[in-house]
Every structure is written in structure tokens, then in C-alpha cells.
Amino acid sequence: MRRAQREHGGGLGRLVRVLLGLDRDAVEAAFAAFRQGRSLGAAQARFVETMIGYLEGNGTLDVGALYESPFTSLAPNGPEDLFGEADLDALVAVLERIEATAVPS
């Protein structure tokens, strides 16, 4: 049953997140390691804050959504406009960790 849930969109855990969103403090904590040791510019900080707000309201954030509104209002061609490859990899890792906590193992 759990395997079927993972294969079909994450099951109940993902559904609950989509319906209720995530606690802002929990999302902030997930991004704390990314922010630590980085001096983000104003546009980069707004992009990360938009990611946090999106996760808070929607409970999930697929990488592909970073190339759609509201993110394209900050980075029209996607996050590559604002972040280097290493920082992009780190942001994707944060999103993957958040997603992994919604899917039972």
C-alpha cells in the first residue's frame, strides 16, 4: 500500500500538505542551512522568500514551478538568472528534503 502511495503522487501525506500547506517555521528551518554562510542579494532573498511563502501556502513545490509565476516575475528565465549551479543544486536539495518528509518510507 505505501509503495503504491509513493508511486501515485505521494499519497495521503502529500494530499494533506496540498490542502493545508506547511508551517512557516518548519519551512524557514528547512531553508536555514541554505541561507547560512551565503550573502544573498536582494533579488535572491526575494526569490527564496517567495519559495518559502509558496511552500507555506501550497505545501509542496516542484522544481518545474520555479519556471512559472510567481517566480518568473523575479527571474523571467528561471532561477538560473539569480543563482549559480552550486546554489541551484542546494535549493533543489532543500525541496527534495521537504518532499521526502511528506512521503512515508
Side-chain angles (χ1 to χ4, degrees):
M1 174 80 168
R2 287 185 178 170
R3 181 177 176 186
Q5 287 176 334
R6 283 194 303 266
E7 293 174 356
H8 292 96
L12 184 60
R14 197 166 205 281
L15 175 64
V16 169
R17 282 195 180 176
V18 169
L19 293 174
L20 301 177
L22 289 174
D23 176 70
R24 182 159 188 101
D25 290 338
V27 179
E28 291 273 359
F31 279 90
F34 173 79
R35 288 179 165 167
Q36 188 174 6
R38 286 184 174 83
S39 295
L40 298 178
Q44 292 172 318
R46 276 193 306 277
F47 195 90
V48 171
E49 283 298 319
T50 302
M51 291 175 73
I52 290 168
Y54 190 96
L55 281 160
E56 180 185 19
N58 298 292
T60 186
L61 175 57
D62 295 320
V63 174
L66 299 177
Y67 297 88
E68 300 171 358
S69 181
F71 302 101
T72 52
S73 66
L74 302 168
N77 298 307
E80 290 87 356
D81 285 353
L82 301 174
F83 299 97
E85 188 174 336
D87 286 343
L88 283 174
D89 289 345
L91 283 173
V92 169
V94 171
L95 295 177
E96 288 172 346
R97 282 193 301 274
I98 290 170
E99 181 66 20
T101 62
V103 180
S105 54

